[in-house]
């Protein structure tokens, strides 16, 4: 009964969250203008089955290294969205960094859980490594995608982390950097969205899956950037997280006139001055530091 009450509350929050996201995203997607200096390969199936998940690849006109790429993971509290949400941002990032960006779809919760999502993303990574010859990776994502960008990068480098997330796909490449835009850091097993993390497959996750501050203790030499803003509702978590990550690149953007630094502002408006700075910091953290 106790768990049923928590799940009922989470389902109510999930549906309300999705409604609010649709209201916000629909007009901004309808009005997006994509940069011209980028080649788009869209809807590439990365699984060997009929209903395969898809990914896009954005290759800048001036490509400095076609053996290196970003793995871009969209947000949406794990229950909403698709790669289209981050397409404009991904193209801007590809142009700025001078390397391709791979924008990945994954199965949303509660039709999946964390172990399934992680294995799907690693399947996508292995696919592009095999088919496109990528040898170096950088992860990037916003909100829940920021969470995934960090845990995927960490899992690509550490077998204990893979075990803690139920990852069975052996990665063909390890991430050199993880770049987090307004990420979620702390979630409860009994509240939205963490209540869905173990629901589908029943894989028991390590405690660090619910508190990335604990995972950060294993960070090693992974280069990490964290972007937040003055009106980001996860700002307090992100400030706390950056304090425990070694040598983190941290950008806390402030409001300026009509530009309000709300949650995932660089993805929603990659052309804003603060977003341009954030994208530059991410590119620099990934390919500008060796």
């Amino acid at each position: 009964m106790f768990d049923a009450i928590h799940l009922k509350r989470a389902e109510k929050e999930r549906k309300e969250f999705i409604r609010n996201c649709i209201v916000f995203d629909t007009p901004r997607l309808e009005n997006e203008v994509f940069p011209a200096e980028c080649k788009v390969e869209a809807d590439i199936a990365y699984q060997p089955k009929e209903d395969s998940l898809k990914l896009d690849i954005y290759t800048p006109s001036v490509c400095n290294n076609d053996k290196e790429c970003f793995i871009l993971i969209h947000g949406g509290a794990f229950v909403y969205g698709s790669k289209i949400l981050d397409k404009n941002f991904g193209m801007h990032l590809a142009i700025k960094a001078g390397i391709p960006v791979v924008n990945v779809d994954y199965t949303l919760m509660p039709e999946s859980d964390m172990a399934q999502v992680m294995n799907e993303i690693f399947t996508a990574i292995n696919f592009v490594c095999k088919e496109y010859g990528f040898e170096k990776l950088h992860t990037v994502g916003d909100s829940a995608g920021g969470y995934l960008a960090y845990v995927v990068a960490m899992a690509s480098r550490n077998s204990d982390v893979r075990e803690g997330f139920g990852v069975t796909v052996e990665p063909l490449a390890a991430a050199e950097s993880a770049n987090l835009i307004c990420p979620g850091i702390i979630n409860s097993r009994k509240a939205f969205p963490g209540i869905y993390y173990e629901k589908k497959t029943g894989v028991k996750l390590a405690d660090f899956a619910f508190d990335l501050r604990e995972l950060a203790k294993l960070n090693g030499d992974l280069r990490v950037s964290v972007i937040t803003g003055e009106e980001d509702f996860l700002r307090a978590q992100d400030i706390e997280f950056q304090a425990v990550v070694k040598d983190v690149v941290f950008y806390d953007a402030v409001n300026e006139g009509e530009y309000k630094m709300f949650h995932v502002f660089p993805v929603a408006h990659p052309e804003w001055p603060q977003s341009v700075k954030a994208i530059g910091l991410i590119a620099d953290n990934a390919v500008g530091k060796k």
Side-chain angles (χ1 to χ4, degrees):
M1 174 63 75
F2 186 64
D3 289 340
I5 292 172
H6 286 300
L7 186 57
K8 184 177 181 180
R9 183 181 298 123
E11 277 294 288
K12 181 180 179 181
E13 292 183 28
R14 180 179 71 88
K15 292 174 182 177
E16 182 178 359
F17 175 82
I18 291 172
R19 284 194 296 268
N20 290 338
C21 287
I22 291 172
V23 169
F24 174 80
D25 283 325
T26 299
R28 70 107 172 166
L29 292 174
E30 288 175 348
N31 290 287
E32 282 189 325
V33 177
F34 301 115
E37 306 88 357
C38 211
K39 172 187 174 184
V40 176
E41 297 174 77
D43 294 328
I44 303 166
Y46 69 79
Q47 294 173 310
K49 58 182 184 180
E50 186 176 349
D51 58 343
S52 177
L53 289 161
K54 307 292 197 302
L55 57 81
D56 295 348
I57 301 179
Y58 314 134
T59 304
S61 300
V62 179
C63 186
N64 299 324
N65 189 344
D66 62 2
K67 299 299 182 183
E68 188 169 7
C69 73
F70 280 99
I71 303 296
L72 172 57
I73 309 170
H74 73 81
F78 310 100
V79 301
Y80 162 82
S82 69
K83 55 186 171 62
I84 192 63
L85 297 177
D86 288 28
K87 178 179 178 180
N88 198 18
F89 165 80
M91 294 175 71
H92 278 83
L93 177 60
I95 293 166
K96 182 65 177 179
I99 65 172
V101 171
V102 178
N103 189 2
V104 179
D105 264 340
Y106 53 89
T107 305
L108 301 175
M109 301 179 191
E111 296 306 313
S112 67
D113 61 10
M114 190 59 67
Q116 180 177 338
V117 170
M118 291 284 285
N119 279 288
E120 288 173 351
I121 293 172
F122 275 110
T123 298
I125 288 172
N126 284 356
F127 172 84
V128 295
C129 286
K130 289 179 180 178
E131 298 298 322
Y132 291 84
F134 295 127
E135 298 171 354
K136 293 183 179 181
L137 304 177
H138 309 280
T139 61
V140 60
D142 60 295
S143 196
Y147 167 101
L148 288 168
Y150 188 64
V151 301
V152 167
M154 290 290 288
S156 74
R157 300 159 63 89
N158 187 312
S159 61
D160 290 336
V161 176
R162 289 198 292 276
E163 182 178 353
F165 279 97
V167 175
T168 58
V169 177
E170 193 70 23
L172 294 180
E176 295 189 350
S177 74
N179 303 277
L180 291 51
I181 300 170
C182 307
I185 302 300
I186 306 166
N187 287 292
S188 168
R189 280 186 163 93
K190 295 182 178 180
F192 172 79
I195 196 169
Y196 300 121
Y197 283 16
E198 301 170 325
K199 188 174 183 293
K200 186 73 174 181
T201 63
V203 173
K204 183 72 172 177
L205 303 179
D207 289 342
F208 54 57
F210 297 87
D211 189 341
L212 299 191
R213 297 171 302 178
E214 295 300 311
L215 186 58
K217 295 175 182 178
L218 304 174
N219 194 76
D221 60 352
L222 176 68
R223 300 196 301 273
V224 180
S225 69
V226 177
I227 309 298
T228 188
E230 189 171 342
E231 297 190 20
D232 177 13
F233 71 90
L234 293 177
R235 179 173 178 267
Q237 284 192 24
D238 296 340
I239 290 172
E240 188 174 354
F241 180 65
Q242 63 93 20
V244 300
V245 180
K246 179 182 177 183
D247 297 329
V248 65
V249 174
F250 187 70
Y251 177 41
D252 188 4
V254 298
N255 295 338
E256 181 181 342
E258 65 181 11
Y259 302 124
K260 305 301 181 184
M261 300 302 103
F262 54 78
H263 189 56
V264 304
F265 66 91
V267 171
H269 296 284
E271 74 283 355
W272 283 3
Q274 294 90 337
S275 302
V276 171
K277 180 176 179 179
I279 291 169
L281 289 172
I282 291 169
D284 217 31
N285 186 57
V287 300
K289 295 182 179 180
K290 300 297 182 184

